[in-house]
Amino acid sequence: MAQLTTCEIRLARTKDATILAHMSRDYIEHGLGWRWRPASIRAKISAPETVVLIAEVALAGKRFIGGFAAMDFGQDKAILSLLAVHPNLRRHGIGGQLLRWLHKSARIAGCFDIELQVRANNVAARGFYKRLGYREVSHLPGYYSGREAAYQMTRNLAKS
Ligand SMILES: CC(C)(COP(=O)(O)OP(=O)(O)OC[C@H]1O[C@@H](n2cnc3c(N)ncnc32)[C@H](O)[C@@H]1OP(=O)(O)O)[C@@H](O)C(=O)NCCC(=O)NCCS
């Protein structure tokens, strides 16, 4: 694989919505139907209570979106709704960088906990979240359209 030269974390712009929607379809929602289409992602980018974050990478002289994440901030709890890294760029710390950035923002926003749901068969993501301090608090059979189970995971932000 070519050398990953830079990885810059920045806020998403509405013009990024189509590529993020395709990443969601291909890397997160595969086999479940496509819920996060460009219009829904555009609405998320514009929503005041949501941060959509992008990891822009430079690889072999080209810049492109290598990963992204979306978090909704509530009064004392934040919800991670989307997170994906391009398959060729995984295990280079990009997912961790995105999530740590969001942890800091959630603390500053006054949130105590972060919550997320992950497909029960997504062993890689469950391992990733555990590594970043999340724990599985409940198993949700049929969570995805009655077809697939999820785990609810949470992380207390008091821990570094
Ligand atoms: C989950 C995901 C975002 C992780 O992104 P990433 O950039 O590869 O993660 P990082 O490189 O920051 O990994 C940090 C640590 O998490 C753990 N981890 C990451 N991927 C893992 C895997 N496949 N299996 C086990 N542990 C894993 C490791 O401890 C890793 O550290 P290490 O590489 O030094 O061992 C990425 O695999 C992905 O996009 N998956 C498809 C989409 C998805 O499942 N999204 C989550 C939906 S809820």
Side-chain angles (χ1 to χ4, degrees), residues 27-28 83-85 90-96 117-118 122 124-125 127-129 131:
Y27 308 148
I28 301 173
L83 171 68
V85 172
R90 290 180 192 161
R91 303 303 286 262
H92 282 80
I94 294 174
Q117 283 86 31
V118 55
N122 191 347
F128 165 80
Y129 290 126
R131 175 75 189 271

Side-chain angles (χ1 to χ4, degrees), residues 43-122:
K44 239 183 177 2
I45 292 170
S46 306
E49 70 283 2
T50 299
V51 167
V52 181
L53 208 57
I54 277 177
E56 198 169 84
V57 300
L59 188 66
K62 281 190 183 162
R63 289 181 77 83
F64 62 96
I65 295 175
F68 81 105
M71 183 169 275
D72 307 315
F73 295 86
Q75 214 153 38
D76 50 16
K77 177 173 88 175
I79 296 175
L80 182 73
S81 43
L82 295 165
L83 171 68
V85 172
H86 188 286
N88 293 344
L89 298 172
R90 290 180 192 161
R91 303 303 286 262
H92 282 80
I94 294 174
Q97 273 192 63
L98 287 165
L99 203 47
R100 284 191 197 95
W101 196 103
L102 289 168
H103 288 173
K104 277 190 199 152
S105 306
R107 269 193 208 101
I108 291 165
C111 296
F112 295 107
D113 296 290
I114 297 184
E115 232 177 65
L116 61 89
Q117 283 86 31
V118 55
R119 294 167 83 165
N121 62 10
N122 191 347

